[in-house]
Amino acid sequence: LVTTHANLDWDAWMKVLALEGTLCLVGVPSQPLKLGVDPLLDEQKRVTGSVVGSPAAMRRMLSLAAAEG
């Protein structure tokens, strides 16, 4: 879960994801993402995004994330 608006080394972040992992953006970087396609194809990783919801929705999401590890 990426909450920053900073432009990061996306290839480095993809390396820390587990096989079939998902990189989810809720912060909006100021530049387009630059990342290689190999992790998407070879390791079946995903990149997705979401609009952050209300404080109540965030509490439910964080509670679920904590419960699921």
Side-chain angles (χ1 to χ4, degrees):
L1 180 64
V2 180
T3 60
T4 183
H5 295 280
N7 295 305
L8 302 174
D9 181 348
W10 300 110
D11 285 322
W13 281 104
M14 293 299 281
K15 288 179 184 176
V16 302
L17 285 178
L19 182 66
E20 299 182 4
T22 301
L23 181 73
C24 181
L25 301 164
V26 294
V28 181
S30 61
Q31 297 177 356
L33 299 185
K34 293 181 182 178
L35 80 131
V37 70
D38 287 343
L40 303 175
L41 299 175
D42 298 340
E43 300 171 20
Q44 299 178 353
K45 295 180 179 179
R46 295 170 294 278
V47 177
T48 188
S50 180
V51 177
V52 176
S54 68
M58 287 188 277
R59 277 192 297 277
R60 287 193 308 271
M61 182 267 310
L62 291 171
S63 178
L64 174 65
E68 297 295 323

